[in-house]
Amino acid sequence: MMASNGIHRTNRSSRGGGEPQQGSGTELPPIPRAPTVQFGRRTESGRFISFSRDDLESELSSSEMGSGRFANYHVHIPMTPDNQPMDPAISSKVEEQYVNSSLFTGGFNSVTRAHVMDKVLDSAEDGGGQLLGREDSGLTCAVQGCDCMVMRDQHGIVVAPCECDFKICVDCFTDAAKSGGGICPGCKEPYKTTELGELLSGGGGRLSLPQLPSGGGGPKMERRLSMVKSQKQLAHSQTMAQGGGDFDHTRWLFETKGTYGYGSAIWSEENYDDVDGGRGGGHGHGHGHPKELMSKPWRPLTRKLKIPAAVLSPYSQIDTHRIKVARYIQESFALMLNRPGRKEVTHEVNFKCRLLIVIRMAVLALFLTWRIKHQNEDAIWLWGMSVVCELWFAFSWLLDQLPKLSPVNRTVDLSVLKEKFETPTAYNPTGKSDLPGIDIFVSTADPDKEPVLVTANTILSILAADYPVEKLACYVSDDGGALLTFEAMAEAASFAYLWVPFCRKHNIEPRNPESYFASKRDPYKNKVLSDFVKDRRRLKREYDEFKVRINGLPESIRRRSDAFHAREEIKAMNLQREKAAGGDEPIEPVKIPKATWMADGTHWPGTWINPSSEHSRGDHAGIIQVMLKPPSDEPLYGSNDEKLPVDFTDVDIRLPMLVYVSREKRPGYDHNKKAGAMNALVRASAIMSNGPFILNLDCDHYIYNSQALREGMCFMMDRGGDRLCYVQFPQRFEGIDPSDRYANNNTVFFDVNMRALDGLQGPVYVGTGCLFRRIALYGFDPPRAKDQHDPGCCSCCFPRRRRKPLRSTAAADADAEETRALRMGDYEDGDMNLSTFPKKFGNSSFLIDSIPVAEFQGRPLADHPSIKHGRPPGALTVPRDLLDASTVAEAISVISCWYEEKTEWGQRVGWIYGSVTEDVVTGYRMHNRGWKSVYCVTKRDAFRGTAPINLTDRLHQVLRWATGSVEIFFSRNNALLASPKMKLLQRVAYLNVGIYPFTSVFLIVYCFLPALSLFSGEFIVQTLSVTFLTYLLIITLTLCMLAILEIRWSGIELEEWWRNEQFWLIGGTSAHLVAVMQGLLKVVAGIEISFTLTSKSAGDDEDDEFADLYIVKWTSLLIPPLAIIMVNLIAIAVGVSRTIYSEIPQWSKLLGGVFFSFWVLAHLYPFAKGLMGRRGRTPTIVYVWSGLVAITISLLVVAINPPAGASSQIGGSFTFP
């Protein structure tokens, strides 16, 4: 019996191998490394009693380091009334209950402890369900009226005698076999065998997978993989096992018929069509396809939408005849190259965009040529600076426009997804969900800057998502290790028992309670149930109480810690007095570190409010707490319980698994910020749930569309979806001011640039709202990577030479380190060799064993012959394994600070380190290996989050992004060094990502040029000739027409486009310039750059939703734009004064300088407005003094340096002193 004051150790083999002894006749088996799990005794004060350092070192030296192997022995305890064998089903439930109620901690040089949580919250109530244990309906007989335990074999594994996985007990199976005609009560099909002994011995019925080569997977890994195979394959694997050779799991996955969903274990031979026409032996022995699949029409899950030409026709000057001629020429040219044109996007749209781009490129080339030839001899310095800036602007514009040549729109069909994966079929009679699992990552680091109420609402929206409950798992990464976040997540898990069933019952959207109850729309629209009004009113009251508890957690934790600390001080004082009783020495005051206490009266193992040794942000143990354990495989319906405020009859009340994770941090280790936290979640989730897909969200981005996960899965499960590394969703924001003063919505980027990239190799990864394929994060190449790559967008003009099919070994070894990736198993000469994985992924056998499982489960469904390398239907309908203590202990070990040492985590595996914009680099590495990505724009926003509306916060956010881009440009991730697997225009897009901050150097010079022109009385050209004005007009018109085209096909507003242009100049003259300087300092001087989290809290004024918008926070980033505004205003005044008082006024030069100055000031208007603070609160004296200062400086300049030929009297009789 395990208790909190006892010591329990479990050993699980790892992939550490031992070398055979020299001269011995037989090879010794590998020596397993056994992670130790210790449940240390806890004192009354909450401290743990553990081994001392000397005891630990002596134990290690005597076992591992001394003898080099473990001393294996068994202790046999005699049978007593207190020691009776337990039923495996009961013991597994007890183990899972123990795991769910224990807080696991551990890390470097410390044992892994499981602290039994007697109490998680001060306000905790017995809510039942998954939080405090659940009733697993999958362990009892499914026959109605029978509650006996299901059949199990001699190893304790559940035996399902029918392929429909209908669970039945021994008695009911005997009755069905004898008196029921051998018919399964579930699917009404006859049993293949009715011999009970044959079933229980494993000789009949469903055949299991051979044991994986790790030696540590066992039946658990078989159930996870849920594959079937023929008797011949089983005999072959048994022969290999008996011969001592390792089973080649990867070759079996990729080369057998079972991999593709074909084989005698699933379809009988008479159901095959011989598609080879009798060649190769005929008789349907694996040479054809099942008749069901051959006769079944293919229905795609996704499709590309055409952009209607009617949307653009009112804004185009191109007539229909020219369009037809251009299309005919384009199609003819494509046929000449034996490359049919793309039909997904209309040729009219592409032709218009490309024609305008070509026209503007030609005009720009002619204009720059004219500018270079016609110098301004009077101001050669002004002419030279302007020409250099214009050349760079043309180059930058070209980098921005080239990736926009093939924009696409996409849509999904959720009805087809439901038909394929959740509809009863011959291969899935019960209709259980065959969708793959998804692990959702939520990252947070500081509860002060990222309010826990926002994080809790994000968690609630995830738990209520419309996706199979048993296939979801949510992991919360608390990189700050704060008790406030921990208890807030526990409160959210408790409230989820009301909120999630309420959302399912009434189909609530959005499923974020804060956004739902604050919505101004009619909440009763389209609600058909009569009790909705009553349920909503009660849930609103419960949520208000939930918010009160969340907001009161900081004070509750502080008061609790003060009380326990005072008790400890009193105990220590009394103990000191007892020791000093009878002595004459004075009693010194006792100093005890002020700890942070949990609700059950124990020390919090993470960061304390008053930091102490081993309890600070950069120094604390790793923590894992299973808040909500994995749900049952079968639906669990609620009832009309009087204790609950809502009637949940006939509503599934199960909740997805919820896990709190805080990775270990120790001084002297580089924890790599968010990228390190995400990689820790990747490893922990691979051991605990191993979902083949990963969705990462920031703590302030919640699920706004409950079906967003299904829409993303449509792309992954469609034909060719196995080559997609991720599906990126656009970011949408709430709480933005109506005018979007600082372009916080980024609509031009998300609705124009990202859609355009979707027509190439795919959009870039932008940090949140991204659905990853786990195997792509592991650094593998895409399947069929040897196939001919699709031609790029410029292949029609620049055809790529055919490569030689074979490469020498020397040439392959000479590949650059950054472009060399792990090979997938479908390589003929590069099978997935698990023996090399410890060097890449670490020495966790659990993690290594999970890799091929995740690869298999992430494959598309092989329900049609056109799907290659798929998985058979019904393969993922088996229940998930129960969690045990050793699994969580292994997860603790992989989130330790030392695990990544001498591995490839952060180099080629997982999120990539070395940049503050780890998201862009991670996506770049995947595209560089040949993966593709997809942009999923849902009709209803998939996710919504918050963005900083304060000017200073916004500039700091842009500064971080721009600094990361500069780091990318000066690193090995520069697109100029990309591999041949990346398409040409995709390289251009990534090159623009690294180059755009450098535009700030030329932009700030160009913004001062109008002022310099007005001060000097010269202009960038000799005179405003007709040629110059004509070029300027054509360039401006083509730019406006391109903008109109982008606005029309993307659906954005003109105001949004203009706000983006304004903030481009604001950010370019402030944050981007500082980013270039910081990047150069890091490259040249090695000075590291540190950033703080962007605050997501609102302003102090609760009555004004946009209070943050008017707060002025001084920062050095405000200096360059402010200087540009002041200099241009003064220059305008000086120029006007100079021209007016000049005997020969130069109106053309004044007009040119004033026009460009107003162009600069118009772009900086939002910046100037932000400096004024709240509307109506700026003192009038500010405007008065600003005008007086400008006028005074202008008069001083004119008086000190009067125009040539001007009289001594200015303004008539007035003489300046």
Side-chain angles (χ1 to χ4, degrees):
M1 194 68 184
M2 293 176 290
S4 61
N5 59 350
I7 296 179
H8 172 71
R9 299 183 182 179
T10 59
N11 295 337
R12 300 195 69 160
S13 61
S14 65
R15 185 168 287 276
E19 296 185 2
Q21 296 179 355
Q22 298 293 335
S24 60
T26 59
E27 295 184 357
L28 293 177
I31 301 174
R33 297 179 180 176
T36 302
V37 185
Q38 174 171 342
F39 306 96
R41 182 168 62 87
R42 176 169 52 87
T43 64
E44 295 180 356
S45 64
R47 301 178 182 275
F48 290 100
I49 294 181
S50 178
F51 289 120
S52 65
R53 184 174 296 275
D54 297 335
D55 295 337
L56 183 61
E57 292 178 354
S58 63
E59 184 185 28
L60 290 175
S61 61
S62 63
S63 58
E64 296 183 70
M65 301 173 63
S67 61
R69 67 185 65 183
F70 289 100
N72 298 323
Y73 60 90
H74 299 275
V75 178
H76 297 278
I77 303 178
M79 297 292 292
T80 63
D82 295 333
N83 180 34
Q84 295 291 334
M86 184 180 296
D87 185 88
I90 300 177
S91 63
S92 61
K93 292 182 66 176
V94 172
E95 177 79 3
E96 188 182 36
Q97 173 67 28
Y98 176 76
V99 170
N100 190 47
S101 59
S102 299
L103 180 72
F104 286 79
T105 62
F108 181 64
N109 277 344
S110 61
V111 292
T112 301
R113 302 185 182 96
H115 168 214
V116 178
M117 299 289 292
D118 302 326
K119 189 178 183 182
V120 178
L121 297 169
D122 291 328
S123 59
E125 298 180 358
D126 188 3
Q130 295 168 233
L131 193 63
L132 298 174
R134 64 173 173 83
E135 183 177 343
D136 195 344
S137 60
L139 298 178
T140 58
C141 181
V143 177
Q144 187 175 4
C146 179
D147 57 354
C148 298
M149 303 305 296
V150 298
M151 272 197 305
R152 295 178 180 273
D153 60 11
Q154 56 187 353
H155 302 291
I157 301 176
V158 176
V159 175
C162 183
E163 293 182 353
C164 68
D165 274 343
F166 185 81
K167 297 179 176 59
I168 191 171
C169 64
V170 176
D171 296 335
C172 293
F173 174 75
T174 304
D175 295 340
K178 294 182 178 179
S179 60
I183 303 298
C184 173
C187 62
K188 308 303 180 183
E189 296 292 334
Y191 286 123
K192 289 186 176 181
T193 178
T194 57
E195 296 294 332
L196 182 61
E198 187 178 358
L199 284 173
L200 297 182
S201 62
R206 179 168 293 192
L207 299 175
S208 60
L209 194 73
Q211 187 173 0
L212 294 177
S214 64
K220 173 179 288 190
M221 206 57 64
E222 296 173 16
R223 294 195 299 273
R224 284 183 181 177
L225 197 57
S226 66
M227 288 289 293
V228 292
K229 66 186 192 65
S230 63
Q231 289 280 1
K232 180 179 179 181
Q233 295 164 348
L234 179 61
H236 176 65
S237 64
Q238 291 175 348
T239 303
M240 292 181 62
Q242 293 173 1
D246 290 336
F247 174 71
D248 194 342
H249 177 263
T250 305
R251 184 177 296 278
W252 183 85
L253 280 179
F254 282 97
E255 295 182 359
T256 60
K257 304 179 183 65
T259 298
Y260 311 115
Y262 309 86
S264 59
I266 302 179
W267 293 286
S268 57
E269 296 179 357
E270 59 268 16
N271 291 333
Y272 277 85
D273 280 336
D274 190 0
V275 298
D276 294 334
R279 291 172 294 177
H283 304 291
H285 291 286
H287 299 282
H289 301 291
K291 294 180 180 179
E292 293 89 342
L293 299 188
M294 292 299 294
S295 60
K296 183 179 180 181
W298 169 253
R299 296 185 62 189
L301 291 168
T302 64
R303 65 181 185 273
K304 295 181 181 179
L305 293 178
K306 297 181 179 181
I307 301 177
V311 173
L312 304 172
S313 57
Y315 298 88
S316 177
Q317 302 299 323
I318 308 172
D319 56 12
T320 307
H321 176 71
R322 292 184 180 180
I323 293 176
K324 292 181 178 179
V325 171
R327 179 163 59 177
Y328 174 77
I329 295 174
Q330 189 174 6
E331 290 178 352
S332 301
F333 189 64
L335 291 175
M336 289 173 60
L337 295 175
N338 194 22
R339 218 184 272 121
R342 298 176 61 177
K343 299 181 181 180
E344 294 83 1
V345 182
T346 56
H347 295 283
E348 291 84 353
V349 175
N350 287 338
F351 176 74
K352 291 178 182 180
C353 294
R354 295 170 184 174
L355 180 62
L356 286 175
I357 291 175
V358 171
I359 291 175
R360 192 166 193 266
M361 288 172 56
V363 175
L364 274 176
L366 294 175
F367 171 72
L368 293 174
T369 304
W370 182 87
R371 288 279 285 121
I372 294 173
K373 290 182 177 180
H374 295 76
Q375 302 179 5
N376 186 359
E377 301 295 342
D378 298 334
I380 194 68
W381 58 274
L382 199 61
W383 169 85
M385 288 192 298
S386 62
V387 169
V388 171
C389 292
E390 289 163 2
L391 286 172
W392 179 266
F393 293 152
F395 173 69
S396 177
W397 173 83
L398 193 61
L399 291 182
D400 181 68
Q401 290 297 320
L402 284 179
K404 297 180 181 179
L405 296 178
S406 300
V408 297
N409 287 332
R410 301 179 188 270
T411 187
V412 300
D413 194 340
L414 293 179
S415 62
V416 177
L417 183 75
K418 185 174 182 62
E419 176 186 341
K420 287 176 178 287
F421 294 92
E422 296 179 323
T423 302
T425 61
Y427 316 113
N428 184 15
T430 60
K432 291 182 180 179
S433 177
D434 201 19
L435 289 170
I438 300 179
D439 294 338
I440 304 180
F441 297 168
V442 179
S443 58
T444 181
D446 190 347
D448 296 329
K449 294 186 177 181
E450 299 170 330
V452 291
L453 182 60
V454 175
T455 307
N457 275 274
T458 300
I459 299 302
L460 291 171
S461 69
I462 293 172
L463 298 179
D466 184 8
Y467 200 79
V469 183
E470 66 276 8
K471 302 298 181 70
L472 273 184
C474 179
Y475 294 84
V476 182
S477 171
D478 179 17
D479 223 26
L483 179 59
L484 176 59
T485 305
F486 176 82
E487 295 197 357
M489 295 305 100
E491 287 282 4
S494 178
F495 180 70
Y497 284 100
L498 295 176
W499 173 251
V500 175
F502 170 72
C503 293
R504 292 172 182 163
K505 179 180 179 180
H506 298 289
N507 195 22
I508 299 299
E509 293 287 352
R511 300 191 175 181
N512 177 323
E514 182 68 25
S515 299
Y516 172 72
F517 290 119
S519 177
K520 297 180 180 179
R521 295 179 300 176
D522 182 12
Y524 309 109
K525 185 178 181 180
N526 299 328
K527 303 302 178 186
V528 297
L529 297 181
S530 59
D531 57 350
F532 171 71
V533 176
K534 178 184 64 175
D535 291 349
R536 186 181 186 277
R537 187 180 298 115
R538 291 179 177 178
L539 256 295
K540 179 64 168 63
R541 184 171 61 251
E542 293 289 338
Y543 178 66
D544 290 339
E545 295 177 359
F546 167 74
K547 287 202 298 183
V548 170
R549 293 195 300 270
I550 290 288
N551 294 328
L553 280 177
E555 181 65 18
S556 174
I557 294 173
R558 186 191 62 79
R559 294 175 60 183
R560 179 204 310 154
S561 299
D562 290 344
F564 279 112
H565 180 69
R567 188 191 67 177
E568 289 297 306
E569 284 185 335
I570 293 174
K571 287 184 178 181
M573 183 65 70
N574 293 337
L575 181 61
Q576 188 172 6
R577 287 175 179 174
E578 292 178 0
K579 292 181 179 179
D584 297 334
E585 297 181 359
I587 300 177
E588 298 180 357
V590 180
K591 294 183 179 180
I592 300 178
K594 192 173 183 179
T596 300
W597 293 76
M598 292 188 288
D600 64 342
T602 59
H603 285 171
W604 169 243
T607 303
W608 289 353
I609 299 176
N610 299 303
S612 178
S613 177
E614 296 187 356
H615 293 284
S616 61
R617 286 187 181 273
D619 184 13
H620 62 80
I623 307 170
I624 291 182
Q625 170 68 56
V626 182
M627 297 283 186
L628 296 171
K629 60 185 177 182
S632 60
D633 186 48
E634 300 292 337
L636 185 62
Y637 297 104
S639 60
N640 190 6
D641 192 351
E642 297 180 355
K643 297 181 180 179
L644 297 177
V646 181
D647 181 10
F648 292 140
T649 304
D650 297 332
V651 178
D652 191 359
I653 61 174
R654 295 177 300 161
L655 299 178
M657 183 171 71
L658 175 62
V659 182
Y660 171 89
V661 179
S662 181
R663 59 177 173 148
E664 183 192 18
K665 287 188 174 182
R666 298 300 179 193
Y669 286 88
D670 186 1
H671 303 294
N672 297 296
K673 302 180 180 64
K674 180 181 177 181
M678 300 303 292
N679 284 338
L681 287 185
V682 171
R683 297 190 295 269
S685 63
I687 292 173
M688 299 182 69
S689 56
N690 197 31
F693 297 98
I694 295 173
L695 172 69
N696 84 292
L697 295 174
D698 288 343
C699 64
D700 61 325
H701 274 70
Y702 68 92
I703 297 180
Y704 186 75
N705 182 358
S706 62
Q707 292 191 331
L709 304 182
R710 293 178 177 270
E711 296 198 27
M713 200 54 62
C714 286
F715 292 101
M716 291 294 190
M717 294 290 103
D718 203 5
R719 181 189 303 173
D722 56 344
R723 294 183 59 84
L724 296 180
C725 55
Y726 60 82
V727 176
Q728 178 66 60
F729 294 86
Q731 293 185 19
R732 307 300 185 195
F733 302 99
E734 294 179 336
I736 306 297
D737 56 296
S739 63
D740 194 11
R741 180 184 296 177
Y742 305 123
N744 293 94
N745 284 316
N746 282 329
T747 51
V748 174
F749 175 76
F750 287 113
D751 291 335
V752 178
N753 296 38
M754 295 288 275
R755 284 184 176 182
L757 289 176
D758 198 14
L760 304 177
Q761 202 169 340
V764 298
Y765 167 42
V766 294
T768 183
C770 189
L771 181 65
F772 283 99
R773 184 179 299 275
R774 183 183 287 269
I775 204 70
L777 275 175
Y778 286 157
F780 288 88
D781 283 341
R784 305 178 301 281
K786 280 190 173 182
D787 295 351
Q788 181 73 22
H789 296 293
D790 295 335
C793 291
C794 294
S795 58
C796 59
C797 302
F798 304 99
R800 181 181 298 174
R801 294 182 179 180
R802 290 184 175 270
R803 296 183 181 179
K804 295 181 180 181
L806 299 177
R807 296 185 61 192
S808 63
T809 306
D813 294 340
D815 284 344
E817 184 72 11
E818 296 301 324
T819 60
R820 183 174 62 87
L822 302 176
R823 297 292 182 100
M824 287 287 285
D826 57 348
Y827 276 81
E828 296 178 0
D829 56 350
D831 288 347
M832 194 178 346
N833 189 2
L834 299 182
S835 62
T836 63
F837 281 14
K839 297 180 181 179
K840 299 177 176 63
F841 301 99
N843 59 0
S844 172
S845 62
F846 280 26
L847 177 61
I848 294 172
D849 292 340
S850 69
I851 293 175
V853 178
E855 189 279 328
F856 168 76
Q857 293 182 347
R859 297 180 182 180
L861 198 65
D863 59 344
H864 195 269
S866 61
I867 303 297
K868 303 298 182 182
H869 304 292
R871 58 177 172 85
L876 302 184
T877 58
V878 294
R880 179 182 290 178
D881 300 318
L882 301 179
L883 286 178
D884 53 17
S886 57
T887 301
V888 184
E890 184 75 9
I892 282 286
S893 68
V894 299
I895 64 171
S896 61
C897 58
W898 54 268
Y899 184 82
E900 294 183 353
E901 289 186 351
K902 298 181 180 180
T903 66
E904 295 184 359
W905 284 99
Q907 306 302 319
R908 287 204 303 269
V909 178
W911 270 258
I912 306 301
Y913 301 153
S915 174
V916 295
T917 53
E918 71 286 335
D919 46 1
V920 178
V921 177
T922 302
Y924 166 80
R925 290 292 187 87
M926 296 180 184
H927 286 144
N928 201 31
R929 298 186 187 106
W931 289 95
K932 296 181 179 180
S933 59
V934 163
Y935 196 53
C936 180
V937 182
T938 57
K939 188 175 182 180
R940 177 185 174 87
D941 294 344
F943 310 100
R944 282 192 177 181
T946 59
I949 61 175
N950 181 265
L951 176 59
T952 303
D953 294 338
R954 173 73 165 139
L955 289 178
H956 278 108
Q957 185 185 56
V958 174
L959 173 62
R960 187 177 73 249
W961 297 342
T963 304
S965 296
V966 176
E967 290 176 344
I968 292 173
F969 181 79
F970 287 112
S971 69
R972 291 174 292 182
N973 300 310
N974 192 313
L976 295 175
L977 307 177
S979 70
K981 298 179 181 179
M982 183 178 292
K983 293 184 178 180
L984 176 61
L985 292 185
Q986 191 77 16
R987 290 197 204 187
V988 174
Y990 275 111
L991 183 63
N992 187 39
V993 169
I995 281 182
Y996 81 89
F998 294 95
T999 306
S1000 61
V1001 178
F1002 304 91
L1003 185 61
I1004 197 168
V1005 172
Y1006 210 73
C1007 288
F1008 278 112
L1009 282 181
L1012 296 176
S1013 175
L1014 292 172
F1015 280 133
S1016 63
E1018 301 294 338
F1019 194 52
I1020 58 177
V1021 293
Q1022 192 80 29
T1023 58
L1024 292 179
S1025 62
V1026 177
T1027 305
F1028 175 78
L1029 294 178
T1030 303
Y1031 278 129
L1032 200 62
L1033 179 62
I1034 296 176
I1035 292 172
T1036 304
L1037 287 178
T1038 53
L1039 179 64
C1040 293
M1041 293 175 65
L1042 278 174
I1044 291 174
L1045 284 174
E1046 292 179 357
I1047 290 171
R1048 294 297 297 176
W1049 70 257
S1050 64
I1052 66 175
E1053 301 292 337
L1054 179 61
E1055 183 183 9
E1056 295 174 332
W1057 179 85
W1058 172 239
R1059 291 299 186 199
N1060 180 79
E1061 293 296 313
Q1062 286 180 316
F1063 195 79
W1064 170 77
L1065 192 141
I1066 295 173
T1069 55
S1070 57
H1072 295 176
L1073 182 64
V1074 177
V1076 173
M1077 297 171 60
Q1078 289 183 344
L1080 292 175
L1081 286 175
K1082 182 178 180 180
V1083 173
V1084 176
I1087 300 176
E1088 290 295 331
I1089 306 166
S1090 61
F1091 291 94
T1092 57
L1093 287 175
T1094 303
S1095 178
K1096 299 175 176 63
S1097 59
D1100 298 332
D1101 191 352
E1102 297 181 357
D1103 297 332
D1104 193 345
E1105 183 182 359
F1106 311 113
D1108 259 4
L1109 183 66
Y1110 314 112
I1111 298 176
V1112 180
K1113 305 176 184 177
W1114 178 254
T1115 175
S1116 58
L1117 297 177
L1118 303 178
I1119 296 177
L1122 188 60
I1124 292 175
I1125 292 177
M1126 297 301 297
V1127 170
N1128 276 275
L1129 286 175
I1130 296 172
I1132 292 174
V1134 170
V1136 172
S1137 301
R1138 185 189 302 275
T1139 304
I1140 291 176
Y1141 295 136
S1142 178
E1143 292 183 353
I1144 306 177
Q1146 299 290 332
W1147 292 105
S1148 61
K1149 295 181 180 180
L1150 174 66
L1151 182 62
V1154 170
F1155 173 79
F1156 283 109
S1157 288
F1158 273 114
W1159 176 85
V1160 173
L1161 294 175
H1163 282 76
L1164 291 174
Y1165 172 73
F1167 176 85
K1169 192 174 181 181
L1171 292 180
M1172 296 179 184
R1174 186 178 294 275
R1175 293 167 294 184
R1177 296 188 180 182
T1178 303
T1180 308
I1181 193 64
V1182 173
Y1183 302 106
V1184 175
W1185 277 105
S1186 299
L1188 290 175
V1189 169
I1191 294 173
T1192 303
I1193 295 177
S1194 302
L1195 293 176
L1196 282 173
V1197 172
V1198 174
I1200 295 173
N1201 186 20
S1207 62
S1208 59
Q1209 291 187 350
I1210 302 177
S1213 60
F1214 176 77
T1215 302
F1216 198 87

